[in-house]
Structures are given as structure tokens and as C-alpha cells.
Amino acid sequence: KKEAAAVLHKFYAKWNKAYSHVIKGLKEIEPDLLVFYNYPKQIRASIYSTNMIESFNNVIKRKAKPKAEFPTEQSLDAFIGIQAMSYNDRYFNRIHKCFGQVQDTLESYFD
């Protein structure tokens, strides 16, 4: 985490003059940018990746396509909610890549 923070601060120094507004925004959220370093190394890639979200979005798109359009916003909300519950039920017992190896460590975070 210290090395990542050092690289980030070098980035700030290099680009602050040209992109001061962007660097200011990054500095404001810096604690959140590096939070995944608090977790075991085995699962970091899964935490900062968007693969699981993209997969779920593709399921929603594929199932919504035959419907063409929804009469109200509430019907769309209900449809997405049902798809989310179905997706969760289908993958409830699945352990994502490397999470099984660090399950005890993760559980200790919530004790």
C-alpha cells in the first residue's frame, strides 16, 4: 500500500500543473482509491475488477431485449429486481476466485 501511495504521489507531482482539477479530485478520494490494499493479496484483483458487474449487466441486457420496452419505470425496476434475485439465487453457493482461500481472514473483519 505504501508503494502504491508513493507511485500515486509521483503521479500527482508530474501532472498537477497540467491537470490540477483532476489531481485535486483524486487527492480528495485517495483513501478510497487504495482501500483494496487492506484485503488479502489473493482477492485484490476481484475487488478492483468490474468483471462481475459487467457479467450481471450482460444478463440484464440479454433478458430485457425480448421485452423491447417497459410500460412504466416501476415495471423496469421490478424486472431488474427479479433478475438480481434470480442471479443471486443461482450463484449463492459459488465462491468467487480465491475467496475460499481467505474466507477465515475475511470473516474476522466482520467479527
Side-chain angles (χ1 to χ4, degrees):
K1 188 173 182 176
K2 290 177 185 176
E3 288 178 34
V7 169
L8 188 59
H9 291 145
K10 279 185 191 178
F11 177 83
Y12 292 161
K14 180 177 180 179
W15 295 104
N16 191 39
K17 205 174 241 184
Y19 300 102
S20 61
H21 186 69
V22 173
I23 299 300
K24 181 183 176 209
L26 284 173
K27 285 180 178 179
E28 289 175 5
I29 63 166
E30 184 175 333
D32 297 330
L33 285 176
L34 303 176
V35 75
F36 66 92
Y37 281 106
N38 296 340
Y39 294 91
K41 189 174 186 171
Q42 297 93 324
I43 63 170
R44 287 182 194 160
S46 293
I47 293 172
Y48 65 75
S49 167
T50 59
N51 290 346
M52 292 172 66
I53 296 167
E54 290 171 12
S55 171
F56 177 67
N57 286 343
N58 287 334
V59 167
I60 295 294
K61 287 178 189 175
R62 189 174 59 246
K63 297 211 178 209
K65 200 170 205 168
K67 308 276 187 266
E69 58 183 70
F70 292 89
T72 65
E73 191 171 328
Q74 289 80 14
S75 65
L76 176 61
D77 287 345
F79 174 79
I80 292 173
I82 290 168
Q83 296 307 315
M85 289 188 308
S86 172
Y87 190 84
N88 286 341
D89 288 344
R90 186 175 28 206
Y91 295 109
F92 181 73
N93 291 321
R94 180 177 171 210
I95 296 176
H96 193 65
K97 181 178 162 188
C98 299
F99 275 71
Q101 297 172 4
V102 294
Q103 186 170 357
D104 294 338
T105 306
L106 293 173
E107 287 174 359
S108 72
Y109 293 163
F110 298 101
D111 287 341

